[in-house]
Amino acid sequence: MSFTFAQVFLAALCFYFVVHSLTCLAEIIHLKRTVGEVPAPLKEKISPAQHRKAASYDIARTKLSWLEVTVSTALIVVLTAGDGINTISDWLMDHVGDQFAFHWMLPAIVGLIFVVVDLPFCWYREFRLREAYGYTRQNPKKWFKNFISLTLLGWIAVLPLLWIGLFLWQETGSHWWLWGWIGFSVYLIFSLGLARRLLYFFRPSRGTAADNPEVLSRLKDLSARTGLTITSVWVASARDNDALPPAFAFGHRQNVRLIFRNDVYKRLSPENLMAIAAHGLARNLSHMYFQAWLASSLSALAVFLFLAWFAPQSWFLNEIGFRVYGPGPYYGSLLTFAIVALPVLLFPFRLPLFLFLRHWIFLSDKYALIRFVCACVHDN
């Protein structure tokens, strides 16, 4: 029995929706069952009322996520099976023709549709729910104005990148996928939050040298116990607080450079700073961040090779509601396909990648607990 591409896409979309729905449902059931039980390690710090409030907040967020997935799935159906993309394509073809502008505007318009549909969910999740449960006291109008501005500016900022990508695609011929993959691998450095950390690798003087004698003394003892050579300890600039983890490090066992986030270093006790340092050192030793970048980059290479094979063809686009024009290559349609359909088709493959990354996070945290935190406790 043979399957059409439309049937494969429909099956992938159903799998995408079912997995997200079951995950949300399981989380809601678990939260409702444990809403009256404060976890044993937290009983002395959190009251039953606070626990119920937090559980109710999580339930509300999960229900909203479930609704968001439902709406997103319905939007994908409208854009593909409902001829939504074809309607946009026809309108653009009537007004700009089969020109560069068509291939640039089609994915830009479809991307804007997703942004607009996602706006109310982002507002309700990030502000309305937090306000209702007393987790924020921001002015509603000011928050919404800033949120809209940042969201639209983010979409506008993508437009020149999209134009550059299309231009390079057309100019590099059959090697477009290679340049696209290189560009995406560089983009991953920013999307994974690595760019700001790398600034402290090349220019540690962006921050200031740590001057807490107790912390420095404990780190020296920790170095002796674990075989590490921590050569310098820095405190990051306060302007980077939102973009950095509590602590991170560079170097492998020798000449290790440890950097604390500014607000963490100034507010926490030496005991807590040692635990945070242990966590950052363990993640550095496991090369977790590099492995996350490498795994994501290699996965992207497979995707770009897949798109390179599909690019000169149109049958798969036509089957799921992407009308194409001309002899090809179908730049605009393929980019729109990457926005709308590709995340759904790749979702089953994202699960093992996610499990792989979570596995490395678990190993690094376990290593921190056994090797570093235990050494800190023993030292005390």
Side-chain angles (χ1 to χ4, degrees), residues 60-372:
R61 283 180 64 91
T62 305
K63 288 181 178 178
L64 183 65
S65 298
W66 196 351
L67 178 60
E68 186 176 10
V69 169
T70 303
V71 172
S72 298
T73 304
L75 177 60
I76 293 172
V77 172
V78 171
L79 290 173
T80 54
D83 280 338
I85 292 175
N86 286 339
T87 301
I88 299 171
S89 299
D90 292 341
W91 182 85
L92 286 174
M93 190 58 64
D94 291 339
H95 287 78
V96 301
D98 189 11
Q99 304 294 328
F100 184 91
F102 170 86
H103 300 285
W104 177 61
M105 294 176 67
L106 179 59
I109 292 174
V110 172
L112 181 61
I113 291 174
F114 277 94
V115 169
V116 171
V117 171
D118 194 50
L119 277 177
F121 293 101
C122 290
W123 169 79
Y124 199 85
R125 178 175 54 250
E126 302 301 331
F127 178 77
R128 184 66 188 90
L129 275 179
R130 292 172 63 86
E131 182 188 46
Y133 283 87
Y135 293 143
T136 185
R137 295 181 180 179
Q138 290 181 302
N139 180 274
K141 291 183 179 180
K142 183 179 179 180
W143 186 95
F144 192 71
K145 181 180 178 180
N146 292 338
F147 174 72
I148 291 291
S149 299
L150 290 174
T151 302
L152 293 180
L153 285 175
W155 175 77
I156 292 172
V158 170
L159 296 182
L161 297 178
L162 181 62
W163 191 95
I164 294 172
L166 274 170
F167 177 79
L168 292 175
W169 186 354
Q170 291 188 349
E171 293 298 318
T172 53
S174 59
H175 295 95
W176 69 268
W177 61 271
L178 178 61
W179 291 103
W181 172 65
I182 293 173
F184 185 80
S185 297
V186 173
Y187 165 76
L188 281 173
I189 296 175
F190 295 89
S191 65
L192 293 176
L194 303 179
R196 197 66 62 89
R197 301 174 206 180
L198 288 174
L199 288 177
Y200 289 90
F201 175 78
F202 295 106
R203 191 162 64 92
S205 58
R206 181 181 176 89
T208 56
D211 57 0
N212 188 317
E214 184 176 355
V215 172
L216 294 176
S217 176
R218 291 191 179 192
L219 286 173
K220 184 178 180 180
D221 292 339
L222 179 65
S223 297
R225 292 179 181 277
T226 58
L228 289 179
T229 304
I230 303 176
T231 55
S232 60
V233 183
W234 295 83
V235 181
S237 172
R239 58 184 169 174
D240 296 328
N241 282 345
D242 293 337
L244 296 176
F248 57 102
F250 297 109
H252 186 71
R253 297 190 179 278
Q254 304 298 319
N255 299 321
V256 176
R257 183 190 305 161
L258 177 65
I259 300 99
F260 287 103
R261 199 172 69 202
N262 190 283
D263 58 339
V264 168
Y265 182 78
K266 291 183 176 180
R267 295 177 183 176
L268 298 187
S269 66
E271 291 78 10
N272 289 331
L273 286 177
M274 289 302 296
I276 289 172
H279 188 261
L281 290 168
R283 291 201 167 185
N284 177 62
L285 280 175
S286 68
H287 306 294
M288 190 196 77
Y289 297 115
F290 172 75
Q291 292 187 58
W293 174 85
L294 182 61
S296 300
S297 180
L298 291 177
S299 300
L301 176 60
V303 172
F304 274 98
L305 288 171
F306 171 76
L307 291 176
W309 175 65
F310 263 164
Q313 309 175 62
S314 63
W315 57 270
F316 71 100
L317 294 170
N318 285 319
E319 284 193 12
I320 61 173
F322 289 72
R323 185 176 296 126
V324 295
Y325 304 89
Y330 312 100
Y331 303 108
S333 297
L334 192 63
L335 281 173
T336 308
F337 170 83
I339 294 172
V340 178
L342 196 59
V344 173
L345 291 170
L346 294 181
F347 178 72
F349 303 98
R350 286 173 55 196
L351 295 177
L353 177 62
F354 175 78
L355 290 175
F356 170 79
L357 296 177
R358 295 300 302 177
H359 171 71
W360 276 108
I361 292 174
F362 171 76
L363 288 182
S364 65
D365 290 348
K366 181 180 178 181
Y367 187 87
L369 180 64
I370 295 175
R371 184 71 184 273
F372 295 118

